């Protein structure tokens, strides 16, 4: 998705919410006050611990992003079909469990504790892979099983995390909070792949996964040191489990965003399933060079996170979503185009990664902020579960299609189909209300009939985003930050396009 420390009382309840998001304003240490460039949210102890938990975990994810598929390719000699099955095992839990998990989480009063338990269990599961490799008993069956179980725990973590995030920030700070979370993911993209490639060369791919297991432990410990004021559990009612899904399908803006995201998910996971195999076998990139290309391209994520707030203020939140989807998908056409001398191949991959990462940050920050503002608190976990079902459900289908088409047609033709198909997501957004939404609406507290007057100006506008400090890049074999972990940066009704915890 702590000892409270010296905290002042949380802000008074706002008219649009039944609970007061915990801003947690502790006395600011003098050393923090000397550095006004530190974003305001990071001066608050509770949010700072929450953000650090996400940032550390995302750095570990970048190791898994390369280590998991390379372990399958280099240790177990996986082919395209094996890679498709591995990615499917990782993603299938989102399709099977998101709806019931969201319904279960909305009836829990302490969702943060569920997130902590999920972190600890995922640490044990990921650590079992290097242990099996050290004992020379690593098999495809274990890879598939760990991928599936970690994916199930990730579903539980994410549906709870959506509520915990909005318990920490007010509506006018959603853009700033989302910018920090997406910015930390961009930071992970800069340093993570390079560090992952180096660890793999020094230790081997399976042993490098110990780093990711440790980040799960760190995340759990930091989450144990916060105590946000979560909204009360929702009472059961007729149609309780599917109420979030019905809300999404009735809402014209949310429906369009999730249809666009579902299109991206399907085609992008065709891409992700084959990318490592394509880069290592057809383009001849080693683990270190692959990590360097991905890490260097992720600089675009930092730039995108820094520019997203200005783009949202200048164009409006809806047009920024449209620009983000276009910027995320179109540059990936350069990947199957890559051919010729090594310097040209690396340059094309770098350019595709860089531009796609900029677009990913635009769509992540703007769509996550809009979704968080639209969802009623009483339905938040169920809507998150429903959106994961709609969007993540396309992922295993895309992974299976990628494995099957890569085996029959070849890697490069399949990547052409995947990158071109992802651009079709724009056809869902253009006729919808999304391009006409300029500002964030007030957060509702009850399941409203989901219609946003596109021209209505809400009484509050989002605060300017903090300096760069969360979607995934197109090239990274997880356009959300997922390896076996499937983790993405919160908050996600989905993740739109693509990606964590």
């Amino acid at each position: 998705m702590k000892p409270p420390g010296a905290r002042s009382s949380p802000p008074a309840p706002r008219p649009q919410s039944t609970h007061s998001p915990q801003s947690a304003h502790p006395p600011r240490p003098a050393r923090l006050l000397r550095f006004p460039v530190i974003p305001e949210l990071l001066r608050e102890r509770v949010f700072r611990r929450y953000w650090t938990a996400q940032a550390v975990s995302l750095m570990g994810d970048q190791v898994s992003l390369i280590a998991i598929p390379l372990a399958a390719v280099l240790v177990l000699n996986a082919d395209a079909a094996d890679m498709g099955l591995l990615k499917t095992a990782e993603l299938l839990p989102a399709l099977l469990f998101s709806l019931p998990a969201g319904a279960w989480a909305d009836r829990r009063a302490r969702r943060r504790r569920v997130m902590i338990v999920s972190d600890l269990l995922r640490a044990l599961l990921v650590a079992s892979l290097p242990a099996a490799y050290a004992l020379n008993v690593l098999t495809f069956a274990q890879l598939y099983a760990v991928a599936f179980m970690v994916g199930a725990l990730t579903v539980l973590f994410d549906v709870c995390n959506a509520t915990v995030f909005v318990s920490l920030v007010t509506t006018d700070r959603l853009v700033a909070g989302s910018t920090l979370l997406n910015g930390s993911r961009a930071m992970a993209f800069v340093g993570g792949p390079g560090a992952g490639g180096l660890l793999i060369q020094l230790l081997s791919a399976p042993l490098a996964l110990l780093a990711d297991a440790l980040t799960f432990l760190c995340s759990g410990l930091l989450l144990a040191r916060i105590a946000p004021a979560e909204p009360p559990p929702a009472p059961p009612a007729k149609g309780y489990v599917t109420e979030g899904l019905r809300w999404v399908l009735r809402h014209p803006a949310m429906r369009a965003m999730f249809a666009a995201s579902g299109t991206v998910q399907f085609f992008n996971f065709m891409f992700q399933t084959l990318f490592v195999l394509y880069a290592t076998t057809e383009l001849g990139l080693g683990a270190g060079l692959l990590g360097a290309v991905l890490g260097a391209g992720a600089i675009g994520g930092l730039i995108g996170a820094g520019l997203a707030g200005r783009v949202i203020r200048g164009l409006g939140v809806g047009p920024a979503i449209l620009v983000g989807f276009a910027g995320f998908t179109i540059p990936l056409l350069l990947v199957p185009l890559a051919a010729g001398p090594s310097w040209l191949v690396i340059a094309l991959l770098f350019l595709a990664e860089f531009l796609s990462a900029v677009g990913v940050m635009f769509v992540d920050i703007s769509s996550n902020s809009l979704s968080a503002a639209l969802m009623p608190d009483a339905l938040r976990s169920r809507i998150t579960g429903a959106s994961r079902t709609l969007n993540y459900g396309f992922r295993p289908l895309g992974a299976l299609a990628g494995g099957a088409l890569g085996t029959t047609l070849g890697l490069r033709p399949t990547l052409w189909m995947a990158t071109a198909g992802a651009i079709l997501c724009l056809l869902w957004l253009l006729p919808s209300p999304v391009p006409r939404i300029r500002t964030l609406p007030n957060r509702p507290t009850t399941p409203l009939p989901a219609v946003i007057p596109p021209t209505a100006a809400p009484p509050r506008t989002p605060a300017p985003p903090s300096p760069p400090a969360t979607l995934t890049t197109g090239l990274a074999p997880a356009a959300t930050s997922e390896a076996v972990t499937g983790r993405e940066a919160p908050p996600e009704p989905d993740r739109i396009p693509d990606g964590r915890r």
Side-chain angles (χ1 to χ4, degrees), residues 366-439:
S366 55
S367 63
N368 289 342
S369 299
L370 179 59
S371 298
L374 293 177
M375 291 188 288
D377 289 330
L379 292 176
R380 195 170 296 277
S381 291
R382 278 172 287 170
I383 294 172
T384 301
S387 64
R388 286 180 60 96
T389 301
L390 293 174
N391 288 315
Y392 286 34
F394 288 101
R395 293 182 172 191
L397 300 178
L400 283 174
L405 293 173
T407 301
T408 56
L409 301 179
L411 300 180
R412 194 184 296 268
T414 304
L415 289 176
W416 274 116
M417 295 174 59
T419 52
I423 301 173
L424 298 176
C425 69
L426 299 176
L427 299 180
W428 295 104
L429 294 169
L430 290 171
S432 76
V434 172
R436 302 190 299 276
I437 300 174
R438 294 292 185 267
T439 55

Side-chain angles (χ1 to χ4, degrees), residues 288-378:
L289 185 55
L290 177 61
V293 168
L294 295 177
I299 295 173
L302 284 175
I303 296 175
L307 295 176
R310 297 180 184 179
V311 171
I312 292 172
R313 292 196 306 272
L315 301 179
V317 64
I321 292 173
L322 191 65
V323 170
F325 271 106
F328 171 58
T329 57
I330 294 174
L332 295 184
L333 292 170
L334 296 175
V335 176
L337 185 65
S342 297
W343 67 267
L344 179 59
V345 169
I346 294 172
L348 289 175
L349 294 182
F350 173 84
L351 187 60
E353 176 76 0
F354 179 87
L355 295 176
S356 181
V358 173
V360 137
M361 289 300 153
F362 289 175
V363 68
D364 263 5
I365 293 172
S366 55
S367 63
N368 289 342
S369 299
L370 179 59
S371 298
L374 293 177
M375 291 188 288
D377 289 330

Side-chain angles (χ1 to χ4, degrees), residues 135-355:
L135 297 173
N136 200 29
V137 293
L138 182 64
T139 64
F140 276 117
Q142 183 180 0
L143 279 178
Y144 297 154
V146 169
F148 185 85
M149 289 186 287
V150 169
L153 290 167
T154 297
V155 169
L156 195 58
F157 184 100
D158 286 349
V159 295
C160 294
N161 191 34
T163 300
V164 171
F165 174 80
V166 297
S167 300
L168 294 168
V169 295
T170 51
T171 300
D172 57 317
R173 302 165 93 183
L174 283 173
V175 170
S178 187
T179 296
L180 286 171
L181 293 172
N182 282 274
S184 65
R185 186 166 64 237
M187 293 282 289
F189 287 159
V190 171
L198 180 61
L199 283 174
I200 291 168
Q201 287 192 332
L202 295 176
L203 303 176
S204 78
L207 292 181
L209 289 170
L210 285 173
D212 194 33
L214 291 175
T215 62
F216 274 123
L217 290 176
C218 181
S219 173
L221 291 174
L222 287 168
L223 289 175
R225 301 187 64 200
I226 67 173
E230 301 180 39
K238 184 178 180 180
Y240 178 86
V241 174
T242 59
E243 190 174 0
L245 178 61
R246 295 197 305 273
W247 189 91
V248 168
L249 295 177
R250 290 197 309 265
H251 197 300
M254 294 284 278
R255 184 172 63 243
M257 285 195 294
F258 291 137
S261 181
T263 302
V264 169
Q265 305 288 10
F266 178 83
F267 288 106
N268 199 35
F269 271 77
M270 286 178 60
F271 174 93
Q272 293 173 14
T273 298
L274 302 178
F275 175 73
V276 170
L277 191 62
Y278 168 75
T280 55
T281 61
E282 294 203 6
L283 300 182
L285 273 66
L289 185 55
L290 177 61
V293 168
L294 295 177
I299 295 173
L302 284 175
I303 296 175
L307 295 176
R310 297 180 184 179
V311 171
I312 292 172
R313 292 196 306 272
L315 301 179
V317 64
I321 292 173
L322 191 65
V323 170
F325 271 106
F328 171 58
T329 57
I330 294 174
L332 295 184
L333 292 170
L334 296 175
V335 176
L337 185 65
S342 297
W343 67 267
L344 179 59
V345 169
I346 294 172
L348 289 175
L349 294 182
F350 173 84
L351 187 60
E353 176 76 0
F354 179 87
L355 295 176

